[in-house]
Amino acid sequence: MSPPLPQPQLDLRQRFDAIRNIAPFLRGIWATSPSLTLASLGLRLVRALLPVATLYVGKLIIDEAVRLVGLGTVHALLPAWHAGQLDPLLALLGLEFGLAISSDLLGRLAGYADALLSERFTNATSIRLMEHAATLDLEDFEDADLQDRLDRARRQTMGRMNLLGQLFGQAQDAITVLSFAVGLLAYAPWLMALLAVALVPAFIGESHFNALNYSLNFQWTPERRQLEYLRQMGASVETAKEVKIFGLNRFFIERFRALSEKFYEANRRLAGRRALWGTLLGTLGTLGYYVAYAYLAWRTVRGDFSIGDLTFLAGSFRRLRQLLESLLSGFSQVAGQALYLEDLYSFFELQPEITSRPGALPVPTPIRQGFVFENVGFRYEGSEQWALRGLSFELRAGEVLALVGENGAGKTTLVKLLARLYDPDEGRILLDGRDLRDYDLDSLRASIGVIFQDFVRYHLTVAENIGVGRIEALDDRARIERAARKGMADDVVAGLPRGYDQIIGRRFKEGVDLSGGQWQKIAIARAYMREGQVMILDEPTAALDARSEFEVFERFKELSAGRTAVLISHRFSSVRMADRILVLADGKVEASGTHEQLMAQGGRYAELFELQAAGYR
């Protein structure tokens, strides 16, 4: 069963209010390229006057032909040519030909300018979208509603390219309408009123269905994201192995087909209603044209108008009707486009909560005391359960601290708070005795090198994959190679055809894929590239065997000398080398101490250690 058609979410006033988005849109176009904007508008201004000029020249041609026929002196072409009787007619024909060529040339030049301007505007808006998204909080990206807004904003970045041509085309048509209207008003003013009566109902109907179409796309945003997800899952290199092994292709295809059919059915029904009402309301415009045509023909028969006048007026009325229909329909479409622009500009209005305070301090170099968590509590947006609550402990400067605990204990959340990806809902975090929020955010994050368990696999060269750990040093090959050696990734690089210049990952043709363990070594090297005062490894070695993980952590302890370091691992045997181990449970510190002290206490740590050790016996 298909879902019911959407009801308009916005009343008529709100739809017209959405047109306010056109102003920043036009400002953005102007800022993109003033020269291209002026070129497009200038070309359209000249072209807007050509239709009425062409039609009027046509009237003169017909009147001249009728005059020549009435004279009865033109019986043969060549004598009339030599006598100069055809000169005015030929001049008018040449003028009309020139106007036609000029109109076509100006149209192509305007289209060329629009295409360049649209491409530059789309690129500039995409950059602005990425820049603004980079300022938002991590918590924003984990919110499903914001994901929908971001998806709609991203679509509008690419989908509004034709709005530029529409707006400029509307301006051109408006000038042409004025030029035709002047001619009609001089002959029969009431024809303009007839046009308005005939065309306004169609305009209202078009506006109504544009609003319904926007509502349909708005309400189906989650489903559209699901469709995109299913399309990606069913045909991508990342999922190909499991899809083949588990035979999931039919599962994804059928789910995609069922969801896409519902969306198609909703669109089909809306398009059907739009076509029906558009036909009925459009008939009014056609009826108005023929009423006017009959009136003009009657006035011509009566002798009020010449044949050329009839041709000019009938053509003007027909063209004016078409232009007004286009203008009203275009205005309705522009209003509809403005609704979509609301998605884009409302995204730009989102502001992050985690920012640097005015007068924020740089992180001290070196860190002398370390971090202190004082009764810290945090829960994720929309969740009633606390991820951390009443968390208090100290991370001393120069200390290697290990965090252990079962899944959901809050280890990764703690690390995110340390890097100010989140701020606590309760309590506070101190760095060298000052609240973490007193420090400059960029300075804080520049001081921390962290690799999460779900690290990103960049489909770039090896050097770039490592170098992004300190982006300003991306061209420092010596530093990149040093970081690779620290992360034990140099052996991985040695086995690649192009070494550090090898693109890794299968997304691009030249790419070479790596094993999970090799990817992790590249990611660890990225953390060393940072050379921050604080080093954090959050389950970065899950794809490594026990020996390799032990070697990584031994190297980590060795290279962390003089630095504050945090490591998280489920393999308890690997965290024995830490100066101190915190055992987290239910968002709190359950126990703290060295490996020997925790084993002697016989609590959760000792129990879990023995369970793991038994698996190796």
Side-chain angles (χ1 to χ4, degrees), residues 113-266:
D114 287 354
L116 295 179
L117 193 55
S118 294
E119 188 68 26
R120 293 194 66 174
F121 176 74
T122 297
N123 293 339
T125 306
S126 297
I127 291 171
R128 183 183 172 193
L129 184 73
M130 290 187 287
E131 288 176 340
H132 187 70
T135 68
L136 299 181
D137 299 331
L138 177 62
E139 199 166 25
D140 291 329
F141 286 95
E142 295 171 341
D143 177 46
D145 289 337
L146 184 127
Q147 284 294 322
D148 289 343
R149 294 177 71 176
L150 178 58
D151 182 69
R152 289 195 299 270
R154 193 181 292 115
R155 290 177 186 275
Q156 301 334 309
T157 300
M158 298 301 298
R160 299 308 107 197
M161 287 183 69
N162 61 338
L163 179 57
L164 170 65
Q166 274 188 314
L167 284 171
F168 287 4
Q170 289 281 93
Q172 176 182 322
D173 288 347
I175 296 171
T176 306
V177 163
L178 288 175
S179 63
F180 276 123
V182 169
L184 280 179
L185 286 172
Y187 286 94
W190 70 274
L191 293 180
M192 296 299 297
L194 177 63
L195 270 177
V197 171
L199 296 179
V200 167
F203 164 66
I204 294 175
E206 186 73 12
S207 298
H208 173 72
F209 282 104
N210 276 338
L212 282 179
N213 189 66
Y214 171 76
S215 296
L216 179 67
N217 280 286
F218 185 93
Q219 293 173 17
W220 274 77
T221 299
E223 287 79 5
R224 287 165 70 108
R225 286 206 299 124
Q226 286 184 43
L227 285 171
E228 187 59 37
Y229 173 73
L230 291 169
R231 188 183 290 113
Q232 179 72 16
M233 292 296 290
S236 72
V237 65
E238 290 83 3
T239 62
K241 295 191 292 293
E242 285 205 11
V243 168
K244 287 182 177 295
I245 293 295
F246 296 130
L248 299 178
N249 59 316
R250 299 310 310 169
F251 170 75
F252 287 128
I253 291 170
E254 289 304 319
R255 179 163 288 190
F256 180 90
R257 179 180 288 118
L259 189 57
S260 62
E261 280 296 322
K262 288 182 179 181
F263 192 33
Y264 165 79
E265 181 63 20

Side-chain angles (χ1 to χ4, degrees), residues 366-367 397-399 533 557-564:
I367 295 174
E399 178 183 37
Q533 295 192 75
K557 181 175 175 61
E558 174 188 338
L559 296 173
S560 297
R563 287 192 174 92
T564 306

Side-chain angles (χ1 to χ4, degrees), residues 19 45 47 62 66 89 106 108 158 256 285 299 334 399 401 466 475 493 519-521 525 533 611:
I19 295 176
L45 174 62
R47 191 168 185 250
I62 291 173
V66 171
L89 182 61
L106 290 172
R108 293 180 184 277
M158 298 301 298
F256 180 90
R299 291 283 301 273
V334 166
E399 178 183 37
L401 181 70
I466 297 173
D475 296 327
V493 179
W519 271 112
Q520 286 190 314
K521 288 182 177 180
Q533 295 192 75
L611 284 173

